[in-house]
Amino acid sequence: NPLVHIRIDEAPVLWISYPPFVELIGKYYGEQMVIFDSVDDAVEDFAHWETGLQGLLTKADLVLTASQPLFEKYRTLHKNTHLCRNGVDYEHFRKPRDLPDELKTIKRPIIGYHGALAPWLEWPLIDGLAKNNPDFSFVFVGPPYEMSNFPKNHNIHYFGYKSYEELPSYIQGFDVGIIPFRITEMTVHSNPIKMYEYLACGIPVISTPLPEAEYCGPVITARTVSEFSARLVQLIKEDSHAHKNSRVTFAKENSWQVRAQYINRLVTSFLKTKG
């Protein structure tokens, strides 16, 4: 029983983002409400999430969806479905940090990515960008996920996993942050948290044309190597304090604190209706 070492003075709200955990409902917690937080679609790399999904939709009192495509999918399956996009720990990423020693020797401009080095990245695009832009440095911060071979070029640098505490110092050292995701059934339902983290650090962001990236005002999208390269040059050349301030403001308006306030209103409203 996971509650053995946790003191709870009132019936909790049970929050589930991993559908197979549907089996926990009604078992340990004596919950007064169940939230299903749909953060990604149950396809491709997350296909195993399908287990328990229907049962969770049946038992959930509130469904939150992290992207518009997820909202469109679940709004017809659950009457109390709401769009609640991902956000950012604004203060954590906004606070100025010292440049990591690893980045001090890297030639600028630095085009950076943080996150899993996974099959859902468009690796041919990344390889093409590095070869097409020999004067740019491409930095990848994050652990490999179900992959062992990666593009190699003189201007590609892999720095591996960095702790959450270290992460802002690396992002703040980027000149542009990229989200080079493949366009697949899985990624079109995603709302990358790194998008908001880049913006909180004030850096320009360019992504492949994910629906949620195209919604995000400060983010530029491109598809091919030539389009991506042109956008990178444009973003670096035309960057300004005004653009930086616009990105930072957008991130602040999409902080986890703002998201929590919205969710709290939804939860409070439901519990009042429940009586």
Side-chain angles (χ1 to χ4, degrees), residues 108-143:
R108 290 192 176 277
I110 295 176
I111 313 303
Y113 168 88
H114 91 76
L117 307 185
W120 56 78
L121 268 65
E122 188 66 81
W123 290 106
L125 171 66
I126 293 166
D127 186 47
L129 285 173
K131 292 176 179 176
N132 201 52
N133 299 277
D135 293 330
F136 291 1
S137 296
F138 292 83
V139 167
F140 292 84
V141 176

Side-chain angles (χ1 to χ4, degrees), residues 44-231:
E44 297 173 20
D45 290 71
F46 302 128
H48 61 285
W49 289 13
E50 189 71 28
T51 302
L53 182 58
Q54 188 54 53
L56 184 53
L57 286 170
T58 300
K59 296 181 179 182
D61 299 301
L62 169 66
V63 175
L64 303 174
T65 56
S67 69
Q68 186 70 36
L70 284 172
F71 175 70
E72 298 300 333
K73 176 177 180 176
Y74 285 112
R75 67 189 302 186
T76 62
L77 302 176
H78 195 285
K79 63 180 181 180
N80 196 18
T81 297
H82 298 266
L83 174 62
C84 184
R85 290 183 165 96
N86 287 322
V88 60
D89 185 348
Y90 175 79
E91 297 297 337
H92 180 66
F93 284 89
R94 187 71 200 102
K95 180 181 177 181
R97 314 291 179 113
D98 293 332
L99 187 68
D101 290 339
E102 286 179 309
L103 292 187
K104 290 179 179 178
T105 59
I106 301 297
K107 180 182 178 181
R108 290 192 176 277
I110 295 176
I111 313 303
Y113 168 88
H114 91 76
L117 307 185
W120 56 78
L121 268 65
E122 188 66 81
W123 290 106
L125 171 66
I126 293 166
D127 186 47
L129 285 173
K131 292 176 179 176
N132 201 52
N133 299 277
D135 293 330
F136 291 1
S137 296
F138 292 83
V139 167
F140 292 84
V141 176
Y145 175 80
E146 296 187 353
M147 288 188 65
S148 57
N149 295 315
F150 303 95
K152 295 178 177 61
N153 206 52
H154 76 279
N155 58 342
I156 300 180
H157 308 269
Y158 299 100
F159 288 148
Y161 168 81
K162 302 298 175 184
S163 71
Y164 186 68
E165 289 302 318
E166 297 174 281
L167 202 50
S169 64
Y170 281 85
I171 299 175
Q172 290 175 19
F174 298 166
D175 293 293
V176 178
I178 58 172
I179 307 174
F181 284 6
R182 295 170 53 219
I183 303 300
T184 69
E185 187 179 358
M186 182 184 79
T187 62
V188 297
H189 287 84
S190 69
N191 181 268
I193 294 176
K194 62 177 61 61
M195 181 167 65
Y196 303 100
E197 293 170 345
Y198 290 157
L199 293 173
C201 290
I203 65 172
V205 183
I206 181 168
S207 170
T208 46
L210 305 171
E212 291 294 287
E214 295 186 323
Y215 140 79
C216 186
V219 174
I220 302 298
T221 62
R223 185 180 297 272
T224 65
V225 170
S226 59
E227 288 178 354
F228 225 98
S229 297
R231 298 291 187 274

